[in-house]
Amino acid sequence: MIQIKDLHKSYKMGKNSLHVLKGINFNVEEGELVAIMGSSGSGKSTLLNILGMLDSSDSGEYILDNVPIKDLNETKAARYRNKFLGFVFQSFNLINYKSAAENVALPLYYQKVPRKERQEKALKYLEQVGLKEWAGHLPSELSGGQKQRVAIARALAAEPKVLLADEPTGALDSKTSYEVMDLIQKINDAGNTILIVTHEPDIADMCKRIVHLKDGVIIEDKKIEQIRAEQYV
Amino acid sequence: MFDRDIWQEIYHSISNNKLRTFLTGFSVGWGIFILVLLLASVKGMQNGFTLQFSDDATNSIFVRTGTTSLAYGGFEAGRRIQMTNDDVEYIKRSFPNDVEYISPRVYQNTSARYKSETGSYNIQAVHPDHQAIEKTIVSKGRFINTNDLMNASKVAVIGRKVEEDLFKNEDALGKFVEFNGLPFRVIGIFTDDGDDNAERNIYAPTTTYQKMYGQTDHIDQIALTYNPNYDLTEALAFSDRLENVFRRRFKIAPKDQSGIRIFNYAEVFEDISNFTGGLDIAVIIVGLLILLSGIVGIGNIMVFIIKERTKEIGVRKALGAEPWSIIKLVLFESVFITALSGFIGLGIATGLLAAIGPSIKTGAFANPSVSMSMVVTATIILIVAGVLAGLIPAMKAARVKPIVALSDK
Ligand SMILES: Nc1ncnc2c1ncn2[C@@H]1O[C@H](COP(=O)(O)OP(=O)(O)O)[C@@H](O)[C@H]1O
Ligand SMILES: [Mg+2]
């Protein structure tokens, strides 16, 4: 699903240049649930942003679902993001004046799905995350965990090839975090490919594979026995 | 392009920022309001001018002769040019399609007397056509007719003021009044809207005066109206032709201004419309400047809104919004605010004009109003203005980098 070869990324700040990714190589198969671990500043978000086509690499190869990702203009990047990727952010990033259902329907709008179908799908995915009754509520009326579940429903709505989540539990208490992880595991059980950035070992242990980043390189990449979140909720 | 979602976005954005939207909308609405009122005022001035001149037929031309100031065609300067009845006939024959009404004028000062009342008046000896040229309104009796002219009858049509002064409370119609000691029968009394001086005039047949004063065929002036279908250019072209013919006929140097003078109302109208046209342009410039400040205001607000919504725009982009869809969002909002507030300004201004415009009629100012074409133009300007105001902020929005917008710092 994802093939990355010798990926480099530096941030230029004035005269200085900060080399954040120093040759990353890894592949992700369909249906994997991967945790990207590492201490703060190790380049996890940078890697995820490049995978998400929100940022571009300086050199290296990136192939997503057999499509080489390079020389993207804004419009093309937007289309690829819309077609291939779903995002979940630490701070949820719901649009505050749109209801839960409207938020979930937004990527479908950019896919030019007709209005009626959008609404149906939005409800379907809200149901999947257990928030069907909250469809008409604004984000401000939801708890943190509920917000993140709406965000996950939104990411799923576009039916992406890969789900990218940057610290999805970073703003949540541990009980809520496990609820979210439980949801993520179930989505993964259904066959979805998911990459999660986290620095919390307990969250990483709930994935099927851990990729450890340090100083811009992968120092460890191992398959693990998944710990089910279900038992903690 | 205009789906429900766009409207929903605009609605949300506006309802979240009511005061801000109102303030910017106000500046555009105010700009349009002022622009419309200013243009309507210019229209009011034009109407006022037209009204003042419309008393006389606005398609009239007056031909006067004088003494030449330049030597020409073998004649020395200082020659007196005298028009005669023949010249009237000559114009009729030469310009059958151009001339509508034509009449000579012979001027005479007279002391008039009825019983013990006396007064000094101007007599204009004219043809029946003259009534149409001056739009003389005969309130009692009739105007001079062809019979009067053929018989050189001693008849007179007197102004309302003359009747008032000489006849006091008597009805002048049918009575005899003495002009320089000769009795004239009053066959009509005329009025003139809003011009007392015109009502001190007296009309008599040309032939009568030509006979009384030495059997001449001299005339002082020719008044005529041209084909009413002529526009300004055709009218001016006609009076030029007329002037050329007369200069040749009387051998007057082309540049000699005192030998002959042809006065065409069209020229006055040309001057007036040049003047008001100039005003039009000045007003449009002022109005556009006011509007421009409104546009800058809206542009500023939009930039501000974009700043506030940077994060949201980043999210939209992450979810697959293409740059154009972001531009569309900002642009439509800007056009919507501009157009809506502009229409309100336009509506209030035109409503105000429709309500009080028709009742305004003072001197050179009458019925200020706006034309449909002006309203349409204003609408187009508004939409263009909205696009302009939204353009820079929209480009800014389209350039928002999702990673920067989404960074949790
Ligand atoms: N847009 C940027 N410009 C400059 N430096 C950046 C930018 N984004 C991240 N960095 C720097 O790159 C390094 C890696 O950042 P990041 O990928 O966010 O790390 P992580 O997500 O693992 O905490 C950090 O030192 C950070 O300060
Ligand atoms: Mg990070």
Side-chain angles (χ1 to χ4, degrees):
Chain A
M1 181 62 64
I2 292 175
Q3 285 117 41
I4 283 182
K5 263 198 210 114
D6 202 24
L7 198 75
H8 284 263
K9 175 72 181 177
S10 311
Y11 289 116
K12 274 157 208 72
M13 289 178 296
K15 277 185 191 149
N16 300 330
S17 167
L18 183 64
H19 203 170
V20 180
L21 299 181
K22 303 168 181 166
I24 303 283
N25 292 288
F26 86 134
N27 295 331
V28 177
E29 301 303 321
E30 194 170 349
E32 279 198 273
L33 176 54
V34 183
I36 299 171
M37 284 275 284
S39 54
S40 181
S42 56
K44 307 183 295 289
S45 296
T46 304
L47 177 60
L48 203 74
N49 286 338
I50 291 171
L51 292 176
M53 291 176 241
L54 298 172
D55 204 352
S56 57
S57 61
D58 298 335
S59 65
E61 209 175 82
Y62 172 23
I63 296 168
L64 174 61
D65 196 32
N66 298 321
V67 180
I69 305 300
K70 58 176 182 191
D71 304 329
L72 292 182
N73 63 28
E74 279 241 33
T75 307
K76 212 165 176 186
R79 284 197 192 136
Y80 280 2
R81 280 198 293 269
N82 191 247
K83 200 168 135 197
F84 290 128
L85 303 166
F87 291 90
V88 177
F89 306 95
Q90 179 177 349
S91 54
F92 323 128
N93 282 329
L94 298 176
I95 292 173
N96 58 25
Y97 59 81
K98 285 182 181 291
S99 70
E102 285 168 341
N103 265 288
V104 174
L106 198 58
L108 299 170
Y109 170 62
Y110 290 120
Q111 281 181 352
K112 305 196 168 50
V113 173
R115 192 179 175 80
K116 191 125 180 48
E117 202 182 323
R118 272 194 333 248
Q119 285 168 337
E120 282 163 10
K121 274 197 171 177
L123 283 182
K124 183 183 131 195
Y125 284 101
L126 275 177
E127 186 169 25
Q128 195 176 334
V129 302
L131 288 175
K132 197 179 178 191
E133 312 80 71
W134 295 83
H137 288 251
L138 290 177
S140 55
E141 296 159 346
L142 304 176
S143 72
Q146 285 175 322
K147 280 186 208 171
Q148 196 59 302
R149 271 146 66 192
V150 172
I152 291 170
R154 180 174 69 183
L156 290 175
E159 284 158 10
K161 303 275 182 199
V162 178
L163 209 65
L164 301 172
D166 194 347
E167 315 254 10
T169 59
L172 305 173
D173 60 60
S174 57
K175 184 173 181 299
T176 319
S177 295
Y178 295 148
E179 281 168 13
V180 168
M181 280 315 290
D182 180 39
L183 179 61
I184 286 176
Q185 284 179 339
K186 280 175 178 151
I187 292 163
N188 175 246
D189 294 343
N192 290 290
T193 314
I194 305 175
L195 271 74
I196 297 176
V197 161
T198 182
H199 61 266
E200 296 163 86
D202 55 337
I203 298 298
D205 288 339
M206 291 175 175
C207 298
K208 294 174 175 167
R209 176 181 166 194
I210 299 178
V211 174
H212 214 115
L213 269 188
K214 194 177 178 193
D215 295 332
V217 289
I218 294 173
I219 54 164
E220 191 185 27
D221 185 345
K222 60 172 185 204
K223 296 243 158 97
I224 56 160
E225 192 56 43
Q226 184 183 45
I227 293 174
R228 296 299 290 187
E230 214 168 0
Q231 55 195 302
Y232 300 107
V233 291
Chain B
M1 209 155 96
F2 285 95
D3 53 31
R4 224 165 104 190
D5 300 270
I6 290 279
W7 289 113
Q8 212 165 31
E9 303 283 4
I10 292 174
Y11 169 76
H12 277 306
S13 174
I14 288 175
S15 56
N16 283 344
N17 304 288
K18 286 195 192 76
L19 179 66
R20 215 169 51 194
T21 309
F22 170 77
L23 288 176
T24 34
F26 185 80
S27 63
V28 168
W30 180 248
I32 280 284
F33 180 77
I34 294 288
L35 179 66
V36 169
L37 284 195
L38 284 174
L39 284 172
S41 306
V42 172
K43 182 71 184 161
M45 283 175 68
Q46 278 169 336
N47 289 343
F49 279 124
T50 316
L51 214 65
Q52 285 210 320
F53 284 101
S54 65
D55 178 33
D56 299 323
T58 46
N59 58 335
S60 46
I61 290 180
F62 301 92
V63 184
R64 253 167 281 179
T65 53
T67 309
T68 58
S69 60
L70 298 170
Y72 187 71
F75 296 98
E76 287 188 21
R79 177 168 51 102
R80 217 189 117 61
I81 308 295
Q82 178 62 60
M83 291 192 290
T84 65
N85 292 342
D86 282 349
D87 295 315
V88 176
E89 294 308 315
Y90 178 74
I91 293 177
K92 275 193 203 167
R93 257 185 289 118
S94 310
F95 303 99
N97 298 322
D98 302 291
V99 174
E100 186 190 25
Y101 298 108
I102 185 163
S103 166
R105 280 173 173 177
V106 175
Y107 287 106
Q108 192 73 50
N109 259 314
T110 191
S111 63
R113 192 175 71 83
Y114 178 74
K115 292 184 180 165
S116 61
E117 298 296 332
T118 59
S120 177
Y121 298 98
N122 283 320
I123 292 185
Q124 283 186 40
V126 297
H127 282 189
D129 267 11
H130 198 274
Q131 182 177 12
I133 297 169
E134 280 279 11
K135 289 197 176 152
T136 307
I137 304 150
V138 178
S139 56
K140 279 189 283 184
R142 61 172 177 84
F143 200 73
I144 292 152
N145 64 22
T146 357
N147 269 339
D148 301 330
L149 202 65
M150 268 166 22
N151 303 331
S153 322
K154 289 209 193 68
V155 293
V157 180
I158 63 174
R160 194 183 54 84
K161 272 274 170 206
V162 181
E163 183 189 35
E164 215 173 275
D165 292 349
L166 290 182
F167 291 84
K168 298 298 170 196
N169 296 326
E170 283 184 52
D171 185 356
L173 198 64
K175 304 261 162 55
F176 282 87
V177 57
E178 276 179 25
F179 296 148
N180 287 344
L182 295 169
F184 278 69
R185 190 161 54 89
V186 177
I187 55 166
I189 290 104
F190 71 91
T191 59
D192 192 300
D193 266 352
D195 191 351
D196 284 356
N197 270 335
E199 293 183 345
R200 283 184 222 280
N201 269 330
I202 296 169
Y203 293 115
T206 319
T207 44
T208 315
Y209 264 82
Q210 285 175 335
K211 215 163 160 188
M212 272 163 51
Y213 291 89
Q215 291 289 355
T216 70
D217 56 359
H218 289 184
I219 59 176
D220 295 320
Q221 208 183 92
I222 297 172
L224 64 90
T225 58
Y226 52 80
N227 189 333
N229 298 325
Y230 281 3
D231 62 21
L232 200 64
T233 334
E234 289 169 315
L236 291 173
F238 166 57
S239 63
D240 280 349
R241 270 185 289 140
L242 189 66
E243 182 166 346
N244 287 338
V245 163
F246 263 70
R247 283 187 188 277
R248 242 179 288 128
R249 188 168 164 85
F250 290 105
K251 299 197 167 49
I252 303 167
K255 289 214 171 75
D256 191 340
Q257 291 303 316
S258 60
I260 186 162
R261 170 90 179 93
I262 295 194
F263 179 80
N264 187 348
Y265 260 116
E267 284 171 39
V268 179
F269 269 91
E270 197 184 25
D271 290 348
I272 290 172
S273 52
N274 281 345
F275 171 65
T276 48
L279 271 185
D280 258 345
I281 290 168
V283 160
I284 286 171
I285 290 171
V286 170
L288 286 182
L289 286 177
I290 297 172
L291 210 60
L292 193 69
S293 68
I295 293 173
V296 171
I298 290 210
N300 272 331
I301 293 292
M302 295 308 294
V303 169
F304 195 75
I305 290 176
I306 302 307
K307 264 222 175 85
E308 254 191 9
R309 290 173 75 181
T310 301
K311 187 143 196 149
E312 178 195 329
I313 291 167
V315 173
R316 286 171 182 275
K317 285 191 157 186
L319 296 181
E322 293 170 19
W324 163 241
S325 81
I326 301 288
I327 290 177
K328 204 163 72 170
L329 200 67
V330 177
L331 225 46
F332 283 3
E333 181 174 332
S334 160
V335 171
F336 180 74
I337 299 178
T338 323
L340 185 72
S341 48
F343 282 137
I344 292 172
L346 193 67
I348 295 175
T350 45
L352 194 70
L353 288 169
I356 66 164
S359 62
I360 297 177
K361 190 182 170 190
T362 53
F365 196 82
N367 190 14
S369 55
V370 283
S371 61
M372 198 58 218
S373 68
M374 241 173 72
V375 173
V376 171
T377 312
T379 308
I380 293 170
I381 289 177
L382 278 174
I383 291 176
V384 172
V387 171
L388 286 181
L391 211 55
I392 293 170
M395 310 271 261
K396 262 205 161 90
R399 274 201 297 269
V400 166
K401 287 248 176 296
I403 33 162
V404 178
L406 294 174
S407 66
D408 291 318
K409 281 155 222 154

